[in-house]
Each structure stands twice: as structure tokens, then as C-alpha cells.
Amino acid sequence: MPDLYDELTVGAWTLPNRIVLAPLTRSRADENGVHGDLAVEYYSQRAGAGLIITEGTQPSAVGQGYSNTPGLHSPEQVEGWRRIADAVHAKGGRIVAQLMHAGRVSHPDNKHGLGAVAPSALAAPGEMFTVQGGMQPHPVPRALELAEIPGVVEEYVQAARNAIEAGLDGVEVHAANGYLIHQFLAPGSNQRTDEYGGSPENRARFAIEVTRAVAEAIGADRVGIRMSPAHNIQGCTEDDPADVEATYAALTQAIAPLSLAYVSVLSADPRSETVLRIRKDFGGPFIINTGFGDVTTRESAQALLDDDLGDAVAVGRAYIANPDLPQRWATGAELNEPDPDTFYTPGAKGYTDYPTLAG
Ligand SMILES: Cc1cc2nc3c(=O)[nH]c(=O)nc-3n(C[C@H](O)[C@H](O)[C@H](O)COP(=O)(O)O)c2cc1C
């Protein structure tokens, strides 16, 4: 079985190791979704990853969910990403943008008053943080009209083109964790009666269309997709195992012929039939992440490779706290502890000020 420090070819890239920076929302962009010096430093500090997957990045203004997340739809945002791409490349790294349309997991106060769209007019459960009003309930979104859906697919396509224009190496389609694409996939958030709702094939249609269109636009070898089957998060309930199996089989079998760069799966149960089947049906590079349990360690990451549950491992919280994580794991150096209180707060604290071994 491979070692975490073995090379891996993933689409257009050769990864020098199999430690992937997981997509991590950090809410440090400005109020227009533009990244500045701080994010340039944050990502370049982590250029030693086999692959960097950026934080969720909105493909359109309406696609923004949380406050201060970056976008890929304005010239200023593209310029911000260009500086990040250049800095990561100067240090020998590779970086793809995670395209995240938040759908109903959003609030007008976080996106200049814009309302939310979703497959169905069902509010996500719970509340979300807004800068002006603190915690507020998720509003009821507007159900997308059938005729609007091609335009939403086009938002992803344009954002993917903008990522390439910015010099980023590709994109990851975020089909996980309860955001727009997952809202289509999951029966708990999709009550449509047209060809985007009902059967597993219909609920998978939007995910397939987005992925196919993005791959056609920038090349499949620069496109990955993230899924979180049966994660049951943000009201995207998927509690019928047979339906989960059928939905993700429909999705994976439709995208497999595209020869995408990778599939990335977040699952608390990486040995589940569904996850094993996604990997088998896809047949290409597979990035695994076991979710929000214990912080990933070198041992737990290597064990996933040893058990042949993935070809590479996405690492979240341990990488937030240790900018030189691959080096620390390789040398057995002591690790910094992640501080959840600063995951989403403004400024350098808890973002760029975790010490490196080099000081
Ligand atoms: C602060 C924070 C922000 C996150 N933001 C995203 C995100 O933007 N997109 C995404 O797909 N997952 C996101 N996740 C999930 C992580 O990618 C990862 O799956 C999770 O942290 C579990 O991995 P870990 O145990 O190594 O931390 C986030 C997790 C954390 C802790």
C-alpha cells in the first residue's frame, strides 16, 4: 500500500505527497469576496500539501452563504486569487478552487441583501452567523424555476473559467455538506416534481450537469468533485440506505466516463458499501476524509491508505493549526493544536500565526 509520502498522479498534476489540504471556510475575504495579503500568506504557508483545495468559493453573488467568503465572479476576486495562485506556485504547490454555491444555507445579510435559491422552498434548519445581526434563522429560499437551472450551471462554468484565468490549477465541484448541489441530491431538501426531483436519477441530474459542463469548459483533468453521502447535514437528510446507494451510483456512473481528476468523499464510515461503490464506479484517484471525529493524525491518515480506502487523504483541522503539516508528520515533530474559536474570525490570529518548525 502507498505511503503518505509517495507521489500520486491526479488529473493534470503530479502530487509529491498524498496529504491534501481539505477545503476549509475561514471567512477572511473582504465584504466583496476579495482575498488580500492575509490569504496569500495562508495558502502559501501550506504549499507543501500534495494538493491544496481552497475554501468554498461562491460562483455567483447569490451563491454566497457565509460572511466574508471569497468569490470567483468579479474581476477583483480573480485578481485576489491570481496572487494566491502565484504565491503557491512560487513555492512549488498546486491549488484548486472549491466551487461552493450555498443555496439555502445563506442569509441576505451576508450577501448584500440577495435572497436564497434552492431546489425547493424549504428552509434549512437552524441559524447562521451574520455580521450585522448575529445568529439568525435560515430564511425560506425561493425554489429555482426549471428555466433558471441552465443559468445556475453556467455560473459554475464561468467561475471555473475564472479560476483558470486566475492561474489556479483547477476546481472542485462542491456536491457535499448540505450546499446547493447536495440540496438537489438529498430527498430531505428536494421536493421537486420535475426532472430534477423525485427519483435518484432526477436528483443527481443537477450535480451531473454542473460537473459535465465545468469539465467541458476547463478540461476534465482539472476538475474534481466532493461528495458526502448520507452525511445528513443542514437538513439534507438521506436516511434511506437503498436510496443513497442508488443516488450516488447514478451520479458516479454518469461522471465516470468524463475522466475527472478525482473524486473526494467525506464520510464518517469510509468502509460503507456506498463509499466503496463510489470509488469502484469512479475508478480514478480517490481522496478520502473521515469527517468531524478526532483530528486527523499521521497514523489515522496512513491507516486509510493501508486499508486501501483512498489514494490520498484530505486533512482539515490539523492543517489549520500546522502550516507545515507534511514536514511535521514526516519528522514526528510536535503539533500545534487547532483553536476552533478562531476558525471563522477576522484577521491573522488563528489563520496565519500558527508557528512553523522553521519559526
Ligand atoms: C473551519 C472549517 C471549515 C470548513 N469548510 C469547508 C468548506 O468550505 N468546504 C468543504 O467541503 N468542507 C469544509 N469543511 C470540512 C473539512 O473539509 C473536513 O472535511 C473536516 O474538517 C474533517 O476533516 P478533519 O477531521 O481532518 O478536520 C470545513 C471544516 C472546518 C473545521
Side-chain angles (χ1 to χ4, degrees), residues 8 10 13 15 18-23 50-53 96 172 224-227 261-267 270 275 278-279 282 284-290 304-305 309-315:
L8 179 68
V10 175
W13 321 294
L15 279 46
R18 292 157 185 248
I19 302 165
V20 173
L21 176 63
L51 180 67
I52 291 175
I53 302 167
V96 302
E172 174 175 286
I225 179 172
R226 189 174 217 205
M227 311 173 190
Y262 67 86
V263 164
S264 176
V265 165
L266 180 155
S267 173
V275 177
I278 290 171
R279 187 178 186 202
F282 176 61
F286 194 72
I287 302 174
I288 188 75
N289 177 276
T290 53
L304 290 166
L305 300 189
L309 296 172
D311 302 299
V313 180
V315 184

Side-chain angles (χ1 to χ4, degrees), residues 21-26 53-57 66 98 100 172 174-177 179 226 231 265-266 289-297 313-320 340 343-344:
L21 176 63
L24 292 159
T25 292
R26 306 302 311 277
I53 302 167
T54 74
E55 65 209 285
T57 300
Y66 302 101
Q98 188 187 54
M100 167 174 154
E172 174 175 286
H174 193 355
N177 295 359
Y179 301 106
R226 189 174 217 205
H231 195 18
V265 165
L266 180 155
N289 177 276
T290 53
F292 293 88
D294 292 339
V295 170
T296 310
T297 62
V313 180
V315 184
R317 291 159 298 167
Y319 222 145
I320 287 178
F343 280 176
Y344 308 107

Side-chain angles (χ1 to χ4, degrees), residues 12-297:
W13 321 294
T14 305
L15 279 46
N17 62 61
R18 292 157 185 248
I19 302 165
V20 173
L21 176 63
L24 292 159
T25 292
R26 306 302 311 277
S27 290
R28 259 71 171 194
D30 75 11
E31 68 281 7
N32 295 313
V34 178
H35 262 323
D37 292 345
L38 214 50
V40 174
E41 189 181 351
Y42 168 80
Y43 283 111
S44 76
Q45 285 174 336
R46 288 162 181 75
L51 180 67
I52 291 175
I53 302 167
T54 74
E55 65 209 285
T57 300
Q58 54 268 11
S60 58
V62 76
Q64 180 168 4
Y66 302 101
S67 64
N68 296 92
T69 55
L72 259 170
H73 54 89
S74 79
E76 296 75 21
Q77 293 164 353
V78 172
E79 283 317 304
W81 283 116
R82 190 188 311 284
R83 295 181 53 221
I84 291 170
D86 288 350
V88 168
H89 291 153
K91 286 197 169 178
R94 292 139 303 279
I95 176 167
V96 302
Q98 188 187 54
L99 299 184
M100 167 174 154
H101 189 311
R104 67 184 191 163
V105 182
S106 65
H107 195 283
D109 286 0
N110 289 343
K111 47 179 176 176
H112 307 286
L114 291 169
V117 295
S120 301
L122 298 167
E127 302 183 321
M128 89 175 333
F129 176 76
T130 62
V131 175
Q132 291 109 317
M135 296 306 289
Q136 299 194 52
H138 293 112
V140 178
R142 183 174 69 75
L144 282 163
E145 305 277 341
L146 184 60
E148 290 180 281
I149 293 181
V152 184
V153 173
E154 191 52 32
E155 291 174 3
Y156 284 90
V157 168
Q158 190 53 51
R161 289 208 173 98
N162 291 347
I164 299 301
E165 153 79 19
L168 296 164
D169 296 293
V171 301
E172 174 175 286
V173 173
H174 193 355
N177 295 359
Y179 301 106
L180 183 65
I181 297 178
H182 201 186
Q183 290 158 27
F184 274 90
L185 287 166
S189 44
N190 182 347
Q191 295 184 343
R192 297 182 76 91
T193 53
D194 60 16
E195 60 259 44
Y196 290 89
S199 68
E201 291 74 17
N202 280 359
R203 280 181 276 112
R205 191 178 309 281
F206 182 65
I208 296 164
E209 287 181 352
V210 169
T211 309
R212 191 178 286 144
V214 166
E216 273 168 15
I218 67 166
D221 60 351
R222 298 193 173 275
V223 177
I225 179 172
R226 189 174 217 205
M227 311 173 190
S228 59
H231 195 18
N232 291 324
I233 191 169
Q234 327 234 55
C236 284
T237 42
E238 298 172 298
D239 41 23
D240 171 359
D243 182 82
V244 173
E245 188 83 21
T247 305
Y248 287 87
L251 170 55
T252 311
Q253 288 169 13
I255 61 169
L258 300 173
S259 298
L260 297 179
Y262 67 86
V263 164
S264 176
V265 165
L266 180 155
S267 173
D269 186 5
R271 286 182 179 75
S272 70
E273 281 303 313
T274 305
V275 177
L276 298 179
R277 174 143 186 220
I278 290 171
R279 187 178 186 202
K280 189 159 167 281
D281 283 350
F282 176 61
F286 194 72
I287 302 174
I288 188 75
N289 177 276
T290 53
F292 293 88
D294 292 339
V295 170
T296 310
T297 62

